[in-house]
Amino acid sequence: MDNGGVANGGQLRIDTTVPHPARRYSYWLGGKDHFAADRESGDAIAAAFPAVVELARANRAFLRRAARYLAESGVRQFLDIGTGLPAPDNTHEVAQRIAPESRVVYVDNDPIVLVHAQALLVGDSRGRTAYLEADVRDPDAILAHPDLLATLDLDRPVALLLVAILHFVHDDDQVADVVSRLVGALPSGSHLVLSHGTMDFSTPEGVAAYEKMFAAGGTDVRARSKATLQRYLTGLELIEPGIVPVTEWRPDNPADPRPVSPDLGIYGLVARKP
């Protein structure tokens, strides 16, 4: 593994003046590992789109349900890219509760995430957990990393988790290439878990406000439509209920009210590679 976010001389490579999605997400989830720039960015986005904190928590719950579904379906290997800072019910915790032998590789490009992961994300000794510092925009480096290859057997099915990460890649063609390369490296029987910000449920006024904020650099989330996400799933079989708001993907209690945000949304999906 690389140095886990520690540069030569033992100093963390962290720029606390620039907001980072993982730390901002931790702030929204009620975590403590964030800096002033992350809080300022989070507050500005929440002021424009008040549902964002609730949606962040709904997205976390989707991750938990999807990981549980896959583990119960027999998947024993997980590649979680854009893992974020540790929070309750991390992927390995969900999977290893069901199958202690599950193996999980976490990937993030924020050094502080990897430092915390190494300290806090201790998995069941019957399985294996590894942590890589890498960027989703460089899938080949992730797939060739020696710690990934020492942890996962890429000849056996893997669950690839791209949860609330691809909307930070702004170019549509680059996203298509990332998904294609990652899924293409996995064998039949593998799965893709994906969640992604969208403005499909918004009013024209909300879309205009979002586009203005995005153009000004006030948000780094590139919202995409359901139709765009569908294009990234070529060759994959969608698991029911398909591409739906994260609150609608196999909720624990179908009777619970699950309102759709009027200003911002997150789609969730699970798809299988035949």
Side-chain angles (χ1 to χ4, degrees), residues 19-233:
H20 190 280
R23 299 192 298 264
R24 184 174 62 216
Y25 191 56
S26 174
Y27 174 53
W28 285 337
L29 292 177
K32 63 182 186 302
D33 299 302
H34 39 74
F35 301 102
D38 308 306
R39 295 188 290 274
E40 291 168 6
S41 172
D43 289 343
I45 294 172
F49 303 103
V52 72
V53 175
E54 180 183 354
L55 284 168
R57 294 170 181 171
N59 182 71
R60 185 72 187 183
F62 162 73
L63 167 63
R64 180 180 64 248
R65 296 195 305 274
R68 184 178 65 208
Y69 164 79
L70 291 172
E72 290 175 344
S73 300
V75 176
R76 298 294 179 262
Q77 300 191 110
F78 297 79
L79 175 56
D80 187 342
I81 303 178
T83 179
L85 286 153
D89 279 341
N90 299 285
T91 300
H92 76 278
E93 293 171 322
V94 176
Q96 290 179 351
R97 273 200 298 267
I98 295 164
E101 70 275 21
S102 296
R103 294 180 166 226
V104 180
V105 171
Y106 290 108
V107 181
D108 206 286
N109 70 343
D110 183 3
I112 198 172
V113 169
L114 276 299
V115 171
H116 281 271
Q118 288 172 314
L120 299 175
L121 299 183
V122 179
D124 193 297
S125 60
R126 289 168 287 183
R128 186 163 181 176
T129 308
Y131 318 95
L132 318 180
E133 185 184 342
D135 195 300
V136 69
R137 291 166 292 191
D138 191 358
D140 294 340
I142 294 172
L143 293 165
H145 198 290
D147 283 354
L148 181 145
L149 298 175
T151 306
L152 304 181
D153 179 354
L154 297 185
D155 291 326
R156 297 174 54 226
V158 175
L160 169 64
L161 280 68
L162 298 172
V163 175
I165 181 66
L166 292 178
H167 48 221
F168 297 113
V169 182
H170 295 169
D171 183 85
D172 289 352
D173 291 338
Q174 187 176 23
V175 171
D177 183 65
V178 165
V179 175
S180 176
R181 286 175 180 269
L182 289 169
V183 172
L186 305 179
S188 174
S190 294
H191 288 75
L192 169 66
V193 178
L194 188 153
S195 68
H196 198 293
T198 185
M199 295 299 293
D200 280 1
F201 312 119
S202 184
T203 63
E205 293 78 14
V207 173
Y210 160 76
E211 293 293 351
K212 181 178 180 180
M213 191 175 192
F214 181 80
T219 177
D220 47 8
V221 171
R222 174 75 274 181
R224 292 186 170 93
S225 68
K226 183 176 182 178
T228 298
L229 297 183
Q230 184 73 57
R231 292 201 295 271
Y232 300 145
L233 306 179

